[in-house]
C-alpha cells in the first residue's frame, strides 16, 4: 500500500492551495481525488478511540476524555443506544447518565472531535444491539429491514434524536465530523437496500446534505456488499490478526477513491460467561496501529475504554448456542474498566507521537481505589415470600405462559406460578420440549428449590410433590442477542412446559420490579422486625439478602468480590451494578464506582442470589479487579 502513503502525502502537500479557499468557514468533507478527509480545507487524519457514555458514570466522563486527549487522540467514537434513551415507547430520557448533549459538550471542551454512531442498531455487545425490546410487541416484526412497523418506530426515534445532534455537527460549530448510518449491516441476513435508503433519506433530511455519512462493515466481500450504499462512505473494520493490505484493498473495491478508514480496530475483545478473559498484546496493537497510520489511514480504536454493563444492559451472542456477555466490558482496552491507563495506552501514545504532536503534560493518574473489606449480609426472604413488595401490581392470569414482551416487562426477572396437577411421588421430568426457557429458570415447589432449566443446555429436570403444590418458576432474562440473525430474542417462557405427560396451564405471572422497590428505599427502609427469621442462614433458590457498608469518609472506586456465591445481581445505594457468576467466570469482581458511595451515611447493599448462598454470607470490597479467573463449568 505504498501508493496510499504517497497519495496521502500529495493530499497534505495540496493543503496550502485548498486552505485559502475556505478561510473563516468550518467544513469537513472527503477529498476523493487526493484520498483524504478535509477539515477546514486542509487534509486531516483522525486517530480516534471508542468510548460508550452508557457504560461509564457521568461523573467520570471528563476524566476518561482527558486521558484520551492526553494520549494524543484527536477524536472519539460514540454509539447512541436507542433502548437506553427510549426504554418505553414514546418516553425519552436524555438526563443524567443519558445526557448525550452534555457528553458531546465535554468532548468539545476537551478538544476532541466526535465520530457519532446513532444506529438505530449498534451491536456493541449491548442488550439487543441497542434496539428497544418493545419493538418485539409486534410478533412478526422484521428488525433492521423495510418492515413497516420497524420503519415507523425508527423514523419516530430519529425524528427525536437527529435534531439534537444537528447543532453539534462540525459544520454547524460543533465537534461531530462524521455520522455512521446503521452498523455492520452487511453481517445481517436481510440485506435490505430499501431499508438503508430509507435511513439515508432520514439522515439527510435531519442533518443536511453536507455532513459526511458513512457505513462500517466487516472485512468480507459479502458484508461490504450488503452494508454499503451509494452516498454513504464505506469503511471497514478489523483487528490485529488481519492482513492490513488485503483489508484496505477490499475497502478500495467499494470506495476506489477517498481516505482509508478502519472504523473498528480491535484493541481487545469481549468476554462471555465461561470464556477465558480475552487479551490482545500491547505491542501487537501498537505495531498494527503504526502500520495503518503510516499508510495515511484514519483509525478508530475499539475500545479505548470499555466500561461496564451495569444493570441488565449486557448483550449476548447466539451461534451454536446462547452465550451471554459478562458484566465487565473491560475489553482489555488501553483504559481499564475503571478508566486507568495501561501499558497498552503508553505504547499507543508512543506510536501517535510519530504522527502528530501530542499534548504536553503528564497523563492523569488512575482514580484512587480502596479495599473497604468484608460485609456480612442478612437474609430478607426468598422471592416467593416477597411478591407483595417486588410485584406490587400483582399477577396476570393466563392459561398459557406469556413472554416478557407480552407482559411489557422487558428486563430482569418474572415469576411464573401454577400448581402441580397430580401427586408426583417419583421424580417426574419437567421438560421444555421446544427449548422455550429464555434464558434461565429457577424452579421451586412450595418454596423449596428443586433445580434449574437453561436455554439450549438444560431442557429437563425432575420434580416431586403433591397435587395442588405451588410450582414457582423464576425466569431470568440474561440479555438479548445483539448480533446476527437471532436478535428477535423473546424472553421468559416462550413455549409451554410439560410435566410428565401434562402441559402445564393456568399460570399466574408476576412481573418483578425489584429495581423499583430498591429505588424507593426497600429493604433498608423497613423495620428490622419485618425480615424473615432466621436471618443469618442461607437459603437455596432465589433469595434476597441485605447489608450495609459503613462509611469511612472515602468514596473511592472499589471492586466487589462474591466468594462462594453462585449467581445473581447486586445493588448498592439503589444502583444496579450488574450480574455476578464467579463459578462460571471469567469475571470475579464487580466494579463499584466511587461516586455511588456515601462518605457519611451507611451504604445500602441488596443482593439477589438465584441458586445458593455460602454459609458465611460475606462479600468483600477489594482495591483491584479480578477479571481473568479460569472458566468453570457450572
Amino acid at each position: 500500500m505504498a501508493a496510499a502513503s504517497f497519495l496521502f502525502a500529495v493530499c497534505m502537500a495540496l493543503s496550502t492551495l485548498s486552505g485559502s479557499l475556505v478561510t473563516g468557514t468550518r467544513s469537513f468533507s472527503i477529498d476523493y481525488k487526493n484520498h483524504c478527509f478535509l477539515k477546514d480545507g486542509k487534509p486531516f487524519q483522525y486517530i480516534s478511540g471508542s468510548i460508550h457514555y452508557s457504560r461509564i458514570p457521568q461523573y467520570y466522563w471528563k476524566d476518561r476524555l482527558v486521558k484520551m486527549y492526553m494520549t494524543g487522540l484527536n477524536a472519539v467514537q460514540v454509539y447512541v443506544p436507542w433502548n437506553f434513551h427510549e426504554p418505553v415507547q414514546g418516553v425519552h430520557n436524555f438526563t443524567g447518565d443519558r445526557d448525550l448533549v452534555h457528553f458531546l459538550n465535554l468532548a468539545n471542551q476537551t478538544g476532541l472531535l466526535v465520530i457519532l454512531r446513532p444506529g438505530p442498531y449498534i451491536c456493541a455487545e449491548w442488550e439487543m444491539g441497542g434496539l428497544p425490546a418493545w419493538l418485539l410487541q409486534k410478533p412478526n416484526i422484521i428488525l433492521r429491514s423495510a418492515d413497516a412497523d420497524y420503519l415507523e418506530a425508527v423514523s419516530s426515534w430519529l425524528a427525536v434524536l437527529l435534531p439534537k445532534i444537528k447543532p453539534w455537527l462540525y459544520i454547524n460549530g460543533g465537534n461531530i465530523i462524521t455520522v455512521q448510518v446503521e452498523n455492520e449491516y452487511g453481517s445481517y441476513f436481510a440485506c435490505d437496500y430499501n431499508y438503508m435508503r430509507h435511513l439515508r433519506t432520514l439522515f439527510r433530511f435531519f442533518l443536511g446534505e453536507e455532513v459526511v455519512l458513512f457505513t462500517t462493515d466487516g472485512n468480507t466481500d459479502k458484508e461490504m456488499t450488503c452494508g454499503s450504499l451509494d452516498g454513504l462512505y464505506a469503511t471497514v473494520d478489523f483487528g490485529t490478526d488481519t492482513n492490513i493490505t488485503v483489508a484496505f484493498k477490499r475497502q478500495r473495491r467499494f470506495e476506489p477513491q477517498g481516505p482509508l478508514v478502519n472504523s473498528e480496530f480491535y484493541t481487545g475483545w469481549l468476554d462471555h460467561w465461561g470464556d477465558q478473559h480475552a487479551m490482545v498484546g500491547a505491542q501487537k496493537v501498537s505495531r498494527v496501529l503504526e502500520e495503518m497510520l503510516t499508510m495515511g489511514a484514519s483509525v478508530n480504536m475499539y475500545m479505548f475504554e470499555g466500561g461496564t454493563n451495569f444493570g441488565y444492559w449486557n448483550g449476548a451472542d447466539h451461534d451454536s448456542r446462547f452465550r451471554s456477555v459478562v458484566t465487565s466490558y473491560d475489553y482489555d482496552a488501553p483504559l481499564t474498566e475503571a478508566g486507568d491507563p495501561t501499558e497498552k495506552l503508553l505504547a499507543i501514545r508512543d506510536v501517535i507521537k510519530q504522527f502528530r504532536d501530542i499534548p504536553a503534560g503528564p497523563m492523569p493518574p488512575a482514580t484512587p481505589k480502596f479495599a473497604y473489606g468484608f460485609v456480612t449480609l442478612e437474609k430478607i426472604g426468598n422471592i416467593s415470600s416477597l411478591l407483595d413488595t417486588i410485584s406490587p401490581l400483582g399477577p396476570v392470569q393466563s392459561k398459557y405462559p406469556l413472554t416478557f414482551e407480552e407482559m411489557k416487562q422487558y428486563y430482569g426477572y418474572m415469576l411464573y406460578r401454577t400448581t402441580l396437577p397430580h401427586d408426583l411421588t417419583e421424580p417426574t421430568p419437567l421438560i421444555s420440549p421446544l427449548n422455550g426457557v429464555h434464558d434461565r429458570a429457577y424452579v421451586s415447589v412450595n418454596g423449596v428449590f428443586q433445580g434449574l432449566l437453561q436455554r439450549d443446555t438444560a431442557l429437563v429436570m425432575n420434580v416431586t410433590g403433591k397435587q395442588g403444590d405451588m410450582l414457582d418458576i423464576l425466569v431470568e432474562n440474561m440479555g438479548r442477542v445483539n448480533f446476527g440473525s437471532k436478535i428477535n430474542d423473546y424472553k421468559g417462557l416462550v413455549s409451554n412446559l410439560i410435566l410428565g405427560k401434562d402441559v402445564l396451564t393456568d399460570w399466574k405471572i408476576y412481573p418483578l420490579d425489584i429495581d423499583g422497590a430498591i429505588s424507593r428505599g426497600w429493604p433498608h427502609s423497613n423495620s428490622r422486625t419485618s425480615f424473615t427469621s432466621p436471618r443469618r442462614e442461607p437459603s437455596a433458590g432465589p433469595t434476597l439478602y441485605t447489608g450495609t457498608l459503613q462509611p469511612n469518609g472515602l468514596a473511592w472506586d472499589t471492586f466487589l468480590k462474591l466468594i462462594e456465591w453462585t449467581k445473581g445481581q447486586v445493588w448498592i445505594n439503589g444502583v444496579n451494578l450488574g450480574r455476578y457468576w464467579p463459578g462460571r467466570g471469567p469475571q470475579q469482581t464487580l466494579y463499584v464506582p466511587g461516586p455511588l458511595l456515601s462518605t457519611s451515611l451507611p451504604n445500602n447493599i441488596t443482593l439477589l442470589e438465584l441458586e445458593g448462598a455460602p454459609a458465611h454470607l460475606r462479600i468483600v470490597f477489594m482495591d483491584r479487579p479480578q477479571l481473568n479467573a479460569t472458566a468453570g463449568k457450572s
Side-chain angles (χ1 to χ4, degrees):
M1 297 293 283
S5 303
F6 172 74
L7 285 168
F8 187 75
V10 169
C11 189
M12 296 296 287
L14 289 169
S15 66
T16 56
L17 299 176
S18 57
S20 60
L21 301 177
V22 291
T23 301
T25 65
R26 289 169 67 94
S27 63
F28 194 89
S29 61
I30 294 173
D31 183 341
Y32 289 94
K33 182 178 179 181
N34 294 302
H35 304 285
C36 58
F37 290 113
L38 292 178
K39 177 173 170 281
D40 300 333
K42 297 180 180 180
F44 180 77
Q45 178 184 30
Y46 69 68
I47 306 173
S48 170
S50 288
I51 178 172
H52 298 163
Y53 62 91
S54 55
R55 286 180 159 128
I56 301 167
Q58 184 191 58
Y59 181 91
Y60 279 139
W61 289 352
K62 182 73 172 178
D63 172 79
R64 310 310 196 243
L65 291 168
V66 168
K67 287 169 179 169
M68 296 172 82
Y69 177 77
M70 294 303 293
T71 304
L73 304 187
N74 54 14
V76 293
Q77 191 192 76
V78 182
Y79 275 134
V80 181
W82 179 5
N83 54 10
F84 195 58
H85 294 285
E86 193 180 0
V88 177
Q89 187 171 12
V91 180
H92 302 99
N93 186 349
F94 288 92
T95 63
D97 288 344
R98 293 166 169 80
D99 192 342
L100 171 61
V101 168
H102 180 55
F103 183 87
L104 295 173
N105 189 36
L106 286 176
N108 198 34
Q109 292 173 16
T110 309
L112 290 164
L113 299 166
V114 171
I115 299 151
L116 197 71
R117 309 174 85 183
Y121 164 85
I122 64 169
C123 184
E125 289 72 64
W126 185 263
E127 225 277 345
M128 204 168 150
L131 300 177
W134 49 259
L135 291 168
L136 299 178
Q137 287 177 19
K138 303 281 188 180
N140 298 315
I141 195 169
I142 303 174
L143 302 172
R144 303 179 71 194
S145 78
D147 176 282
D149 289 326
Y150 179 69
L151 285 189
E152 181 182 0
V154 165
S155 300
S156 296
W157 161 238
L158 293 178
V160 171
L161 176 64
L162 296 182
K164 293 179 181 295
I165 290 170
K166 187 172 183 180
W168 287 93
L169 298 178
Y170 184 80
I171 55 178
N172 293 333
N175 56 338
I176 297 172
I177 52 173
T178 62
V179 178
Q180 181 179 299
V181 177
E182 243 276 348
N183 181 59
E184 295 181 326
Y185 188 63
S187 65
Y188 192 57
F189 75 92
C191 198
D192 186 340
Y193 291 113
N194 286 332
Y195 165 55
M196 290 296 286
R197 290 188 190 102
H198 181 85
L199 290 182
R200 181 182 61 189
T201 299
L202 285 173
F203 277 67
R204 286 291 175 213
F205 177 79
F206 286 110
L207 299 181
E209 294 296 325
E210 294 184 26
V211 64
V212 174
L213 301 179
F214 73 99
T215 58
T216 302
D217 281 288
N219 179 29
T220 68
D221 287 341
K222 176 192 176 299
E223 288 172 86
M224 293 290 287
T225 299
C226 285
S228 57
L229 187 71
D230 185 48
L232 309 176
Y233 192 74
T235 74
V236 70
D237 56 32
F238 56 87
T240 56
D241 293 330
T242 298
N243 184 310
I244 301 171
T245 303
V246 171
F248 281 138
K249 278 184 177 177
R250 178 167 282 113
Q251 186 197 355
R252 275 282 170 257
R253 288 209 291 277
F254 291 86
E255 291 291 358
Q257 297 177 301
L260 299 174
V261 179
N262 184 348
S263 288
E264 289 188 6
F265 171 53
Y266 302 110
T267 62
W269 200 245
L270 63 134
D271 292 339
H272 304 95
W273 293 112
D275 287 352
Q276 297 287 341
H277 179 51
M279 301 184 75
V280 178
Q283 297 312 310
K284 202 173 186 181
V285 170
S286 59
R287 176 181 56 80
V288 178
L289 176 64
E290 181 177 357
E291 291 176 15
M292 289 188 290
L293 295 180
T294 300
M295 292 177 177
S298 286
V299 179
N300 174 72
M301 287 167 271
Y302 188 100
M303 293 294 297
F304 207 85
E305 183 192 350
T308 307
N309 294 312
F310 293 111
Y312 309 113
W313 288 119
N314 66 277
D317 284 298
H318 197 302
D319 29 44
S320 60
R321 61 183 175 86
F322 177 83
R323 296 183 301 148
S324 185
V325 174
V326 304
T327 300
S328 171
Y329 199 62
D330 178 86
Y331 213 84
D332 193 32
L335 289 170
T336 68
E337 178 181 14
D340 298 339
T342 64
E343 178 185 326
K344 187 177 291 183
L345 179 144
L346 298 177
I348 288 168
R349 185 172 65 168
D350 286 342
V351 169
I352 294 173
K353 283 178 183 175
Q354 303 172 38
F355 296 90
R356 65 185 302 262
D357 292 333
I358 68 169
M363 175 64 60
T367 54
K369 312 294 189 294
F370 193 77
Y372 295 91
F374 286 95
V375 174
T376 301
L377 304 185
E378 297 177 332
K379 182 171 71 177
I380 306 168
N382 65 32
I383 287 286
S384 300
S385 69
L386 298 168
L387 292 176
D388 287 348
T389 300
I390 61 177
S391 184
L393 299 178
V396 170
Q397 300 197 33
S398 175
K399 184 172 184 180
Y400 299 109
L402 300 175
T403 65
F404 276 52
E405 294 75 22
E406 288 170 321
M407 292 286 291
K408 298 187 178 182
Q409 161 93 24
Y410 301 118
Y411 309 108
Y413 306 86
M414 287 206 314
L415 182 76
Y416 295 78
R417 173 173 286 175
T418 187
T419 55
L420 299 184
H422 307 291
D423 288 346
L424 305 175
T425 54
E426 298 294 324
T428 302
L430 175 65
I431 308 169
S432 174
L434 300 179
N435 196 14
V437 173
H438 288 194
D439 300 301
R440 195 169 166 92
Y442 307 88
V443 180
S444 301
V445 175
N446 283 351
V448 178
F449 185 53
Q450 304 279 308
L452 57 86
L453 298 169
Q454 182 168 286
R455 183 175 182 173
D456 296 330
T457 59
L459 308 185
V460 60
M461 59 167 284
N462 288 327
V463 171
T464 57
K466 296 181 179 179
Q467 182 178 3
D469 281 355
M470 185 170 65
L471 175 67
D472 279 352
I473 302 176
L474 180 74
V475 179
E476 177 187 7
N477 165 5
M478 288 180 58
R480 288 182 181 80
V481 172
N482 59 262
F483 181 80
S485 62
K486 298 180 180 178
I487 56 174
N488 287 53
D489 190 12
Y490 294 86
K491 296 301 186 182
L493 297 182
V494 302
S495 61
N496 287 323
L497 297 183
I498 295 176
L499 182 60
K501 297 179 180 180
D502 297 300
V503 174
L504 291 173
T505 59
D506 302 320
W507 294 92
K508 291 181 179 179
I509 306 166
Y510 292 82
L512 302 187
D513 186 17
I514 303 172
D515 294 81
I518 292 171
S519 70
R520 292 187 291 270
W522 181 87
H524 298 83
S525 58
N526 285 26
S527 68
R528 288 186 167 269
T529 55
S530 66
F531 291 144
T532 312
S533 259
R535 297 169 54 216
R536 285 292 169 92
E537 292 183 8
S539 297
T543 305
L544 281 149
Y545 298 84
T546 185
T548 55
L549 173 65
Q550 294 303 319
N552 70 349
L554 297 177
W556 289 2
D557 288 0
T558 187
F559 301 91
L560 176 59
K561 186 168 185 179
L562 298 117
I563 301 167
E564 297 178 355
W565 296 79
T566 310
K567 186 182 193 303
Q569 203 96 22
V570 184
W571 294 258
I572 292 186
N573 291 337
V575 175
N576 190 331
L577 296 181
R579 309 174 204 269
Y580 65 88
W581 200 359
R584 179 67 61 92
Q587 180 177 359
Q588 299 297 304
T589 55
L590 291 175
Y591 172 53
V592 184
L596 297 186
L597 301 176
S598 173
T599 59
S600 57
L601 298 173
N603 293 285
N604 295 329
I605 303 164
T606 309
L607 187 147
L608 170 61
E609 168 58 54
L610 294 164
E611 296 181 44
H616 57 70
L617 291 184
R618 290 191 304 176
I619 59 177
V620 62
F621 292 90
M622 304 167 51
D623 60 5
R624 63 200 64 191
Q626 293 182 358
L627 300 177
N628 58 353
T630 303
K633 62 179 182 178
S634 65

